[in-house]
Amino acid sequence: MAYQTFRQEYLQVPPVTRAYTTACVLTTAAVQLELITPFQLYFNPELIFKHFQIWRLITNYLFFGPVGFNFLFNMIFLYRYCRMLEEGSFRGRTADFVFMFLFGGLLMTLFGLFVNLVFLGQAFTIMLVYVWSRRNPYVRMNFFGLLIFQAPFLPWVLMGFSLLLGNSIIVDLLGIAVGHIYFFLEDVFPNQPGGGRLLRTPSVLKAMFDTPEDDPNYNPLPEERPGGFAWGEGQRLGG
């Protein structure tokens, strides 16, 4: 019974959020079980481009460190804001959401060539938080019951929290920078005088991820109906 409930809840998670968070959890589990090591996952341009270890372009976004407070904190934020984006401003636009992932990942990888970061998953989470916060500017946030503020301040509050924990804020700044670039190109620049859409989701992604909506006025031929012809009946099966 518990398995069925979990399965139903799991399948209700939108597909991109489900795929990414599952990949992160499985990667961390594999490291904990010592099936793989972080040294096989981290971002290393020399190993990627000279030794063709291409998988590192993806795996460095999937590992958030060993299971502990930092891992749980990042996974909660990743799941929450990735899902709210996918079910909110990207609802019915899976291809556009995947394109945002690819665009953000590409930018972070390029910036990663110039900063000393070996895992970019946390920065990617901050990017998702930033885009959500800018698209929901009037939502009031409560951070651990200590601070109450408007949503656009959330990425900066998280950066301050990282600073208090003694972590490098380069990760947060990278996520904020990439998130702002995407938000500006997608939401701000097209609405400026003389502006326009510079980011366009490739048609191949739309063909892969966006299923066309059913036409409510479409009346299929008998052979196209579920179950074939409705023998001996005057209405479609299931009608």
Side-chain angles (χ1 to χ4, degrees), residues 18-202:
R18 183 170 66 237
Y20 186 35
T21 53
T22 300
C24 292
V25 170
L26 291 179
T27 300
T28 302
V31 172
Q32 290 293 117
L33 296 172
E34 298 183 353
L35 300 176
I36 55 177
T37 71
F39 295 104
Q40 296 171 287
L41 308 174
Y42 75 98
F43 180 73
N44 185 314
E46 183 175 352
L47 293 177
I48 293 171
F49 299 112
K50 291 185 178 180
H51 298 274
F52 305 106
Q53 296 183 8
I54 305 299
W55 66 84
R56 294 178 183 272
L57 291 171
I58 298 175
T59 56
N60 81 89
Y61 288 98
L62 304 180
F63 185 64
F64 290 80
V67 175
F69 174 78
N70 191 60
F71 170 77
L72 293 175
F73 185 82
N74 278 285
M75 289 307 299
I76 289 172
F77 271 81
L78 169 62
Y79 171 78
R80 176 177 173 80
Y81 290 96
C82 188
R83 180 169 185 171
M84 287 198 297
L85 272 176
E86 191 169 2
E87 292 182 335
S89 59
F90 286 98
R91 186 177 184 85
R93 299 167 51 220
T94 302
D96 293 338
F97 197 43
V98 172
F99 181 64
M100 188 191 79
F101 266 58
L102 296 176
F103 177 79
L106 176 62
L107 272 187
M108 284 189 190
T109 299
L110 292 176
F111 289 147
L113 299 174
F114 304 100
V115 295
N116 188 27
L117 293 175
V118 292
F119 290 103
L120 298 173
Q122 184 176 338
F124 195 85
T125 300
I126 295 296
M127 179 198 77
L128 296 175
V129 171
Y130 185 90
V131 174
W132 177 87
S133 69
R134 293 302 300 269
R135 288 184 171 180
N136 297 271
Y138 303 111
V139 175
R140 292 177 64 81
M141 310 295 296
N142 187 329
F143 191 72
F144 292 133
L146 301 175
L147 293 174
I148 298 178
F149 50 87
Q150 300 295 105
F153 291 101
L154 179 59
W156 305 99
V157 171
L158 292 178
M159 186 179 72
F161 187 65
S162 294
L163 193 61
L164 288 176
L165 293 178
N167 299 327
S168 171
I169 62 172
I170 298 299
V171 174
D172 300 85
L173 289 174
L174 177 59
I176 289 172
V178 173
H180 183 72
I181 291 172
Y182 177 83
F183 176 76
F184 177 80
L185 293 178
E186 182 70 11
D187 292 47
V188 178
F189 185 68
N191 298 316
Q192 299 297 312
R197 290 183 62 86
L198 300 180
L199 298 181
R200 296 186 181 276
T201 304

